[in-house]
Amino acid sequence: MSIEPIWKTWFAKHGAKLLLFARQQARNPADAEDLLQEAFVRIWRLYGHTGEVPPALVFRSIRRLAIDWVRRDERRGHREQKVALDAATEASWFDRSLEQRERNALVEKAVRRLPSEQQEVILLKIWGEMTFEDIGNTLDISLNTAASRYRYALEKLRVWVPHVLTDDKLNL
Amino acid sequence: MKDLEKELRALKPSSPSSEFKVGLEEALGEPGKLAVKRTPDIPAEQESILSSGFFRLSLFLGITSTLAVALYLANTASNDDAPVEKPSSFIPATEQDSDSLPVADQDASPLHGISNASIAAFAEQQGWNLPEKREILVGAADEGIVDRPGQAPARRYRYRFLDETIWRNPATNTFIHSAIPREEIVLVGLDPY
């Protein structure tokens, strides 16, 4: 019988989607990991002893920290911003399976092409598996705004990402 | 739209690196160790199952009657010609002498006074799979600061768990479900300065 901290199990379940959101919010991959670490540590120190921390709290913390960090960077005069942005465009947000590498890259490119406010709603809804109400609370917007941003984002993605022809359609 | 959402969901976000998790553990420090769970060691072979306390303390005497009744029913259902065994005959009388067992073995056995080896051997003979175990955190409470004689005060956390165990017998399509409440109290020493 071994003893394992609960946060490890919790993080194994939610870490990937939190990192995805942190990447979307941060300016570069290195910032994303720092952002996630600081947000998670803050929340876990407050609520971790209960063993049940809603991921929405960490999402919210990531976003607020990201806003603070952007302000801080602006005060520093956009130092290294260009390098950071270049790096951010190189790191992939998703695992790419061998058989669908090109297709996945295309979908990811389309997601990253979305306006930031639609992008964050899509990430929280699709991969964060949150309700529009929770998304609204996390992003400080109304439920209806979250839902409409989601709808607009999907409409854009539908145009940008061409349909994959299934085997049935190819045979017709 | 549904197809598009489905395709998006099929994309798996990249997982944080192991280096990142190590850094996270360091950054968390002590608060990361406040809430813990017990995980059974992975058994490499039967001996290690027995020695690792596979049937562990979380099962208590109440299981005895449930197990005995279920095994009795399973045995009679699968073989009508077989002589009917009484639940008490499942465990050799010599094994019921708990005084002869080391204290550690007694603690690790789910059935009071019956060694793990006896339970495992019996379960295997009767076609029962190894038990599926899981620990459910029911709740946790911060009970505030407590004084400790001769030591610095500490903050006391109380965790309530439910230890769930399921035994399955595929041959007879039978299962036994056990849920046992358990509490753990964690004292975190406070720095008085």
Side-chain angles (χ1 to χ4, degrees), chain A residues 46-115:
Chain A
L46 283 173
Y47 306 106
H49 65 274
T50 64
E52 291 177 351
V53 177
L57 284 179
V58 187
F59 279 121
R60 191 176 172 87
S61 179
I62 288 172
R63 186 162 190 275
R64 294 193 167 188
L65 276 174
I67 293 170
D68 287 346
W69 287 15
V70 167
R71 287 176 184 157
R72 182 196 66 189
D73 288 346
E74 282 172 354
R75 281 199 298 273
R76 288 179 181 178
H78 302 275
R79 187 173 58 190
E80 298 174 350
Q81 185 175 332
K82 185 176 182 309
V83 176
L85 285 171
D86 288 346
T89 55
E90 287 171 9
S92 174
W93 284 1
F94 302 98
D95 293 335
R96 291 180 182 172
S97 60
L98 281 175
E99 62 272 20
Q100 291 205 313
R101 185 179 292 270
E102 287 182 13
R103 177 73 183 171
N104 291 353
L106 181 68
V107 175
E108 180 178 337
K109 191 175 175 185
V111 171
R112 292 170 77 152
R113 194 177 151 193
L114 289 168

Side-chain angles (χ1 to χ4, degrees), chain A residues 3-63:
Chain A
I3 302 286
E4 185 181 82
I6 286 178
W7 75 264
K8 288 191 178 179
T9 313
W10 190 97
F11 198 79
K13 186 176 177 186
H14 303 293
K17 60 191 179 192
L18 290 169
L19 179 60
L20 174 66
F21 186 63
R23 282 177 167 156
Q24 190 271 330
Q25 293 284 315
R27 289 171 179 246
N28 64 70
D31 261 7
E33 292 196 342
D34 290 346
L35 201 54
L36 173 56
Q37 178 170 309
E38 187 160 338
F40 177 76
V41 168
R42 280 188 185 196
I43 295 299
W44 200 264
R45 281 183 176 163
L46 283 173
Y47 306 106
H49 65 274
T50 64
E52 291 177 351
V53 177
L57 284 179
V58 187
F59 279 121
R60 191 176 172 87
S61 179
I62 288 172
R63 186 162 190 275

